[in-house]
Amino acid sequence: DQQVKQNSPSLSVQEGRISILNCDYTNSMFDYFLWYKKYPAEGPTFLISISSIKDKNEDGRFTVFLNKSAKHLSLHIVPSQPGDSAVYFCAYHTGGFKTIFGAGTRLFVKA
Amino acid sequence: DVKVTQSSRYLVKRTGEKVFLECVQDMDHENMFWYRQDPGLGLRLIYFSYDVKMKEKGDIPEGYSVSREKKERFSLILESASTNQTSMYLCASSADRVGEKLFFGSGTQLSVL
């Protein structure tokens, strides 16, 4: 049973427009949510995180929104660029040592 | 520049072979992890270690074991490789703080024939 669900396997967006990647979770006992980005033939790299006490965090073109009542997380990329084309993983980190990942969403940004 | 290095980029092994995947980090991180990535399943945690000689099972430890004799090195062992262990294996490390991000290696694509 997946604790972190990314229900869209892929997303296609035009360059310059907004990309919205979604994530739903079942376990309320987390400290942080993190987004990672993965290019082919490379390991995932950290993108942005949000703690459980916040509802929004921004870093340049990337904003993450946390809706605890809906158990929903979203990553907004504005404006989208072709170099953003990658697989994006939503993950949560508890007070222990485990980071639990979703299945990933492949983003295509068309020029 | 921080680095997690996995010893092999590609490996091809036969069913029943014992397989060693090596991982080294140069960041003096306490925590190290082994994940496998499969299409549609994301990254699944196999084992992790929070200190030298310490190890904890992740979500899918069956068929695997690990070794951490030195802080910088974490090895994943497939005692008797099977075809369902064909996968991309990713090693990661992190500092010992809540919410700390993971640093990943480039991965080892293992094919078991």
Side-chain angles (χ1 to χ4, degrees), chain A residues 36 38 41 43 93 97-99, chain B residues 9 33 35 37 59 99 102 105:
Chain A
Y36 288 82
K38 186 181 184 300
H93 183 261
F97 302 99
K98 293 171 70 169
T99 301
Chain B
R9 190 76 186 91
F33 307 81
Y35 287 88
Q37 182 193 2
D59 298 317
L102 298 175

Side-chain angles (χ1 to χ4, degrees), chain A residues 10-21 77 79-82 85 106-111:
Chain A
S10 65
L11 174 68
S12 185
V13 170
Q14 198 68 36
E15 181 180 9
R17 308 292 281 266
I18 184 171
S19 296
I20 300 176
L21 296 99
I77 306 173
S80 301
Q81 299 173 354
S85 297
R106 185 177 297 276
L107 174 66
F108 299 94
V109 180
K110 297 176 286 187

Side-chain angles (χ1 to χ4, degrees), chain A residues 2 31-32 34 36 38 41-46 49 89 93-95 97-104, chain B residues 9 31 33 35 37 40-43 45 48 50 58-59 90 96-102 104-106:
Chain A
Q2 276 194 314
D31 294 304
Y32 275 83
L34 307 96
Y36 288 82
K38 186 181 184 300
E42 294 182 14
T45 55
F46 170 76
S49 65
F89 291 98
H93 183 261
T94 69
F97 302 99
K98 293 171 70 169
T99 301
I100 305 299
F101 286 82
Chain B
R9 190 76 186 91
N31 305 324
F33 307 81
Y35 287 88
Q37 182 193 2
L41 296 176
L43 278 71
L45 182 62
F48 62 99
Y50 52 89
D59 298 317
L90 291 157
D96 196 22
R97 290 186 291 273
V98 173
E100 192 62 29
K101 62 190 177 189
L102 298 175
F104 282 90
S106 297

Side-chain angles (χ1 to χ4, degrees), chain B residues 10-68:
Chain B
Y10 299 97
L11 271 181
V12 180
K13 296 292 180 180
R14 297 219 173 266
T15 303
E17 277 193 79
K18 190 167 186 176
V19 182
F20 292 87
L21 302 182
E22 306 287 345
C23 176
V24 177
Q25 51 99 359
D26 65 0
M27 294 166 281
D28 201 36
H29 282 166
E30 292 83 4
N31 305 324
M32 295 189 75
F33 307 81
W34 276 105
Y35 287 88
R36 61 178 281 179
Q37 182 193 2
D38 300 288
L41 296 176
L43 278 71
R44 293 180 292 166
L45 182 62
I46 304 170
Y47 265 97
F48 62 99
S49 168
Y50 52 89
D51 200 354
V52 176
K53 296 192 185 293
M54 304 301 289
K55 60 185 179 184
E56 291 284 342
K57 293 180 180 179
D59 298 317
I60 51 164
E62 296 79 19
Y64 303 95
S65 62
V66 290
S67 172
R68 193 163 181 206

Side-chain angles (χ1 to χ4, degrees), chain A residues 26-103:
Chain A
T26 55
N27 187 351
S28 298
M29 300 298 292
F30 70 94
D31 294 304
Y32 275 83
F33 266 104
L34 307 96
W35 285 93
Y36 288 82
K37 176 178 171 179
K38 186 181 184 300
Y39 293 117
E42 294 182 14
T45 55
F46 170 76
L47 189 58
I48 191 170
S49 65
I50 187 166
S51 84
S52 59
I53 62 171
K54 292 189 172 182
D55 53 19
K56 178 182 175 182
N57 189 28
E58 266 182 276
D59 184 2
R61 296 186 297 115
F62 302 91
T63 303
V64 57
F65 296 93
L66 176 61
N67 183 336
K68 289 187 282 291
S69 61
K71 296 187 178 179
H72 181 81
L73 189 76
S74 63
L75 174 68
H76 293 210
I77 306 173
V78 183
S80 301
Q81 299 173 354
D84 295 330
S85 297
V87 177
Y88 290 80
F89 291 98
C90 169
Y92 80 81
H93 183 261
T94 69
F97 302 99
K98 293 171 70 169
T99 301
I100 305 299
F101 286 82

